[in-house]
Amino acid sequence: PLFNHWDALQKVIPYADELESNFESFMEKYVTKDSWLESWLDALAFSLSALPAAKTGAATMAYTLFDLHRHGAVLDYPRGGVGRIAEVFEECIKENGGDIFTNSGVKDIVVQDGKAIGIILCNGDFVRANRGVVCNAPIWSLPSLLKSQKGQMSQEQKEFFFKEAPNKEATKSFLHLHIGLDATGLDTSKMEAHYTVMHKGLHGKRGEIDPCGDRNMVAVSNPSILDDTLVKGEKNRMVIHAYGAGNENYNDWEHLSSVA
């Protein structure tokens, strides 16, 4: 598939080593030492990874910056909501002979001669992979998914999955809020589909405001402004998706009790 983008690939190859690491080296080489610009890059990276730009993957940052500044660039929303993307994927997979297993826990990733060849579901069924296994489970879950397969793994693989993986540092996470609102009395014609709110601001004197700081930034999407099928065409209804990074310390919350 890369050959379809040969012109772009030729431009990227010289930066292959740097693109495999974080964006820090790019910032040191190519970003003017301007504190406002650095703060803006940190805020952009934060919305992608909950990390500042220097600690975000270089490939992710490079593509995002390129995409934002292309001629005619716009922010896209899927018609019918994000769920429609999953539905289209399901249709494509089934049309091409694939199977989909829902509500099916995975017990083991099966390895043969150092290569993942399939998975065993919690009900005991074996699902063979034609090419390989793509796993999006947290890296700390891999030892339990592979523990029965040690005999089929190389020493290097054992070292990584059973010694290095459990000790990987966890990044901060995101907090998402999906909510339906009664929009009676609101002038929705003056609303945008997306807002990014910096509670303490993006930048201060001598960088005193950290855009990645505790509870500073929240992104708010209002897709029903663009697509009223999300509220089934009803008037005075609105769907909101707000998210921010859960970057505060847990001890700020641990004394609170849950409410049913």
Side-chain angles (χ1 to χ4, degrees):
L2 286 175
F3 282 109
N4 295 325
H5 308 278
W6 178 244
D7 290 340
L9 185 62
Q10 286 180 300
K11 297 177 182 179
V12 169
I13 288 175
Y15 303 99
D17 290 339
E18 291 172 301
L19 286 170
E20 287 186 347
S21 61
N22 292 333
F23 197 61
E24 186 171 19
S25 61
F26 277 90
M27 292 186 69
E28 291 175 353
K29 287 183 180 180
Y30 307 112
V31 178
T32 304
K33 294 301 179 182
D34 179 281
S35 57
W36 187 92
L37 180 57
E38 291 176 344
S39 293
W40 181 79
L41 287 171
D42 281 342
L44 176 64
F46 192 61
S47 65
L48 299 170
S49 66
L51 293 169
K55 294 184 179 180
T56 300
T60 299
M61 286 296 295
Y63 179 79
T64 301
L65 287 167
F66 165 76
D67 208 38
L68 281 174
H69 293 89
R70 284 195 296 182
H71 178 70
V74 294
L75 180 64
D76 292 322
Y77 281 88
R79 293 184 184 276
V82 175
R84 182 57 187 148
I85 296 176
E87 292 171 358
V88 171
F89 275 139
E90 179 182 7
E91 292 167 6
C92 291
I93 290 170
K94 290 182 176 179
E95 286 174 1
N96 287 278
D99 294 314
I100 296 178
F101 300 85
T102 58
N103 299 317
S104 303
V106 176
K107 180 182 179 182
D108 295 300
I109 298 174
V110 181
V111 179
Q112 187 176 77
D113 297 327
K115 180 180 179 180
I117 63 166
I119 59 173
I120 296 177
L121 301 180
C122 290
N123 63 6
D125 289 348
F126 171 60
V127 181
R128 176 174 287 278
N130 291 330
R131 297 188 179 182
V133 174
V134 178
C135 177
N136 71 342
I139 194 170
W140 307 279
S141 301
L142 291 177
S144 63
L145 291 171
L146 291 165
K147 63 184 179 181
S148 65
Q149 305 295 307
K150 281 187 176 181
Q152 293 291 328
M153 301 172 70
S154 68
Q155 188 58 40
E156 183 179 4
Q157 289 172 329
K158 292 177 186 177
E159 186 74 21
F160 176 79
F161 289 113
F162 298 104
K163 291 186 178 180
E164 295 182 25
N167 296 315
K168 292 292 184 180
E169 181 182 358
T171 61
K172 302 295 184 180
S173 189
F174 286 102
L175 175 68
H176 292 264
L177 176 65
H178 299 266
I179 188 169
L181 297 176
D182 184 342
T184 302
L186 296 177
D187 186 356
T188 56
S189 67
K190 294 182 179 180
M191 291 184 178
E192 300 290 343
H194 190 91
Y195 298 89
T196 298
V197 181
M198 309 295 292
H199 176 59
K200 301 173 185 176
L202 172 67
H203 175 67
K205 294 180 180 179
R206 298 178 183 177
E208 63 187 19
I209 295 176
D210 177 9
C212 305
D214 182 2
R215 284 163 277 192
N216 182 38
M217 183 171 73
V218 60
V220 182
S221 295
N222 183 10
S224 49
I225 291 293
L226 303 174
D227 181 4
D228 67 359
T229 65
L230 298 174
V231 290
K232 298 181 179 179
E234 294 186 25
K235 295 182 178 180
N236 301 322
R237 293 292 183 267
M238 184 184 299
V239 174
I240 295 291
H241 170 216
Y243 73 92
N247 58 345
E248 67 272 15
N249 292 322
Y250 176 71
N251 56 20
D252 289 352
W253 304 92
E254 61 183 346
H255 64 284
L256 300 177
S257 59
S258 60
V259 178

